[in-house]
Amino acid sequence: MTGPRQVCVLGSTGSIGESTLDVIARHPERFSVRSLSCGSRWEELLRQCRRWRPRLAAVGDAVAAGKLRAALRADGIDTEVLEGESGLEAIASDPEADTVMAAIVGAVGLAPTVAAARAGKRLLLANKESLVMAGAFFMAAVQEGGAELLPIDSEHNAIFQCLPGGYRTGDTVPSVRRLLLTASGGPFRSAPLESLDAVTPEQAVAHPNWVMGRKISVDSATMMNKGLEMIEACWLFGMSVDQVEVVIHPQSVIHSMVEYIDGSVLAQLGSPDMRVPIACALAWPERIASGAPSLDLVAAANLAFEAPDLRRFPCLRLALQAAREGASAPVVLNAANEIAVEAFLDRRIGYMAIPEVIASVLDLHVSSELESLEHVKAIDAGARRAARGLLG
Ligand code: NAD
Ligand code: MG
């Protein structure tokens, strides 16, 4: 390749976005920041534009985009600011960008992530919601666009690293018997069950091992995150639901494992630092420094494993159910979860109401085969309305 990779970061102001820029900053000869983006917190994007001087920026919210434009002009910075979903899609499919980090949180990330797939980019996928909602269409877009899809979720990146050399996401490896998806179990793994009703947003976002955005932190506490990741793993690695086993491993040292038909189990280990999978995917198949500390196995001392308790983690049970049902059920699961988590973070519902809302919306939903991306968006919108209706 000639010259540095031109990188577009979708969701650059978030936790994954900031970690991506941290890795890029360590390798200026390899990577150049072509474009940055955010939802509405334009002041943070302004700070990033001052530092990175990208050619393009995109802001989901039009009012915030206007404010960023004015502030950049006052600073004499000539970054062009695009806005709305079309602006996000434009930076994702920009012909001058060859690498796209898809790190917008939630269903709003679907359209720009698919745009990057269709445009044939090296696509670093953090936005798992895209695959949960529209796995078949998303994987087809990757194929048709000739994109190179690399997983960023630490578990999926671990599995990717444990698969045979030359493996391409979407392919099924016949010699793989199953995938072992590890989960920390979150902050309430051993809390008394009756104490969960009183859990506050502050407690739920305080993850024992990882620093992440608020939505995924709550998903980790409820283990909905692992449910979404199970569905994500099925699409990425061409596996059935029954070939993916969730194992609780509280130390988060082993990031996931692949079991082959001869009984060999390969694992990827490391410090719980998202810069490891990000650096891995940015430079793949080369290896570059990520800034993550070395793993201290002696300090970790013990690696423990246990089966998840589905009474404690009803969200994982609901996700399993939706994964087995397939068709539109995962779309509804994801949409209802986004609305319920937002309501919990806004203190409108309690922690244990999250699975109740999702279960009710799933019960109301009549499953249908997904016909197109537009159909996916319509089902997503319907499930959001149903969830909001339940919340009153
Ligand atoms: P975050 O909340 O820290 O950041 C979210 C980003 O999305 C921000 O830049 C925000 O501006 C942007 N965004 C939000 N709404 C938007 C909109 N309407 N239009 C455009 N941009 C919008 O979240 P995060 O923790 O960085 O997670 C991002 C994604 O990566 C999620 O899908 C998450 O599941 C996945 N992921 C995160 C981690 C982690 O360690 N943080 C690990 C694995 C996977
Ligand atoms: Mg993960």
Side-chain angles (χ1 to χ4, degrees), residues 12-23:
S12 59
T13 57
S15 166
I16 293 287
E18 291 272 17
S19 294
T20 304
L21 293 173
D22 182 280
V23 175

Side-chain angles (χ1 to χ4, degrees), residues 103-113 126-130 133 215 219 334 338 380 384:
I104 293 176
V105 61
V108 286
L110 176 62
T113 306
N127 178 268
K128 64 193 88 187
E129 294 91 346
S130 295
M133 296 171 72
K215 189 255 178 186
D219 285 351
N334 180 67
E338 286 190 26
D380 172 72
R384 280 165 201 271

Side-chain angles (χ1 to χ4, degrees), residues 11-17 37-41 59-60 88 102-106 108 126-129 152-154 210-216 225 229 274:
S12 59
T13 57
S15 166
I16 293 287
S37 78
C38 73
S40 56
R41 305 241 295 263
V59 183
L88 294 163
I104 293 176
V105 61
V108 286
N127 178 268
K128 64 193 88 187
E129 294 91 346
I152 292 299
D153 224 329
S154 57
W210 299 91
V211 181
M212 309 181 285
R214 284 160 63 80
K215 189 255 178 186
I216 185 179
N225 184 50
E229 289 184 355
M274 287 308 291

